[in-house]
Amino acid sequence: MQVTRFDIDGLALLKPARFGDHRGYFAETYSRRRFKELVGADVEFVQDNHSLSRDAGTLRGLHFQRPPTAQGKLVRVVAGAVLDVAVDMRHGSATFGRHVAVELTAEGGEQFWIPAGFAHAFCTLRPDTEFVYKVTDYYSPADDGGIIWNDPDLGIEWPFPAEKLILSDKDMKLPRLADLPPIF
């Protein structure tokens, strides 16, 4: 497995090895022992989620869960492609308010580790994109939070113009990061 680190501490892009032949391929997508060795995080995943976005340009996020149910996420695409974004929300971090954006594709098999303390979003690059992710805590509506997708202070370059993006009503009404109290 290949691991790519970023200037923002804690984030990691993983690319599992694929072993293929004329039938297709096999890949080990997760091993707790290997994950701990490579990423340095000894976490327990308690829930797996799977979403389907019918249209390219579907943007989901920027979401996070507040403590005590803050979630780390290991995300990947099983059909299609996304631009995946993690924003550092850890007050006191030298990289607070900065983000990393990576492209994840079903063909590439990449996985993105996003620890607790980050807001997360993805924008689909192709129709019928399926996105799966493991999380380290259960969904808690009481702790659900978010940041507006187009917060100018974040400077995220989405792959489609604003008028082409498809968002939920909820995601269009989220606050800017600067308007939130310290959470992490």
Side-chain angles (χ1 to χ4, degrees), residues 49-88:
N49 301 315
H50 188 145
S51 73
L52 166 67
S53 298
R54 292 276 179 219
D55 298 311
T58 299
L59 196 157
R60 297 178 186 262
L62 294 151
H63 302 148
F64 60 87
Q65 247 181 222
R66 294 172 188 84
T69 63
Q71 294 177 322
K73 298 177 181 179
L74 181 61
V75 305
R76 66 188 177 112
V77 171
V78 295
V82 302
L83 180 71
D84 204 78
V85 176
V87 176
D88 190 350

Side-chain angles (χ1 to χ4, degrees), residues 130-164:
E130 294 187 52
F131 188 84
V132 297
Y133 50 108
K134 305 171 111 31
V135 294
T136 59
D137 210 329
Y138 298 102
Y139 174 66
S140 170
D143 297 321
D144 191 34
I147 301 169
I148 191 73
W149 65 277
N150 60 351
D151 184 333
D153 295 333
L154 302 180
I156 300 169
E157 293 183 25
W158 297 106
F160 296 95
E163 64 274 8
K164 299 280 185 183

Side-chain angles (χ1 to χ4, degrees), residues 29-148:
T29 59
Y30 178 74
S31 159
R32 185 174 184 174
R33 177 179 49 231
R34 191 80 172 120
F35 186 80
K36 182 180 178 183
E37 291 170 4
L38 294 172
V39 177
D42 187 16
V43 298
E44 178 181 3
F45 293 109
V46 298
Q47 182 176 315
D48 283 11
N49 301 315
H50 188 145
S51 73
L52 166 67
S53 298
R54 292 276 179 219
D55 298 311
T58 299
L59 196 157
R60 297 178 186 262
L62 294 151
H63 302 148
F64 60 87
Q65 247 181 222
R66 294 172 188 84
T69 63
Q71 294 177 322
K73 298 177 181 179
L74 181 61
V75 305
R76 66 188 177 112
V77 171
V78 295
V82 302
L83 180 71
D84 204 78
V85 176
V87 176
D88 190 350
M89 294 183 63
R90 301 168 298 177
H91 277 267
S93 165
T95 54
F96 175 79
R98 289 185 38 208
H99 71 276
V100 167
V102 296
E103 187 173 324
L104 306 176
T105 66
E107 298 83 9
E110 307 89 357
Q111 299 180 60
F112 192 25
W113 165 241
I114 305 159
F118 288 80
H120 172 252
F122 67 89
C123 181
T124 58
L125 302 175
R126 299 182 202 155
D128 296 319
T129 291
E130 294 187 52
F131 188 84
V132 297
Y133 50 108
K134 305 171 111 31
V135 294
T136 59
D137 210 329
Y138 298 102
Y139 174 66
S140 170
D143 297 321
D144 191 34
I147 301 169
I148 191 73

Side-chain angles (χ1 to χ4, degrees), residues 57-61 148-149 162 165-172:
T58 299
L59 196 157
R60 297 178 186 262
I148 191 73
W149 65 277
L165 293 172
I166 302 163
L167 292 105
S168 70
D169 290 340
K170 173 186 154 187
D171 287 351
M172 289 191 291

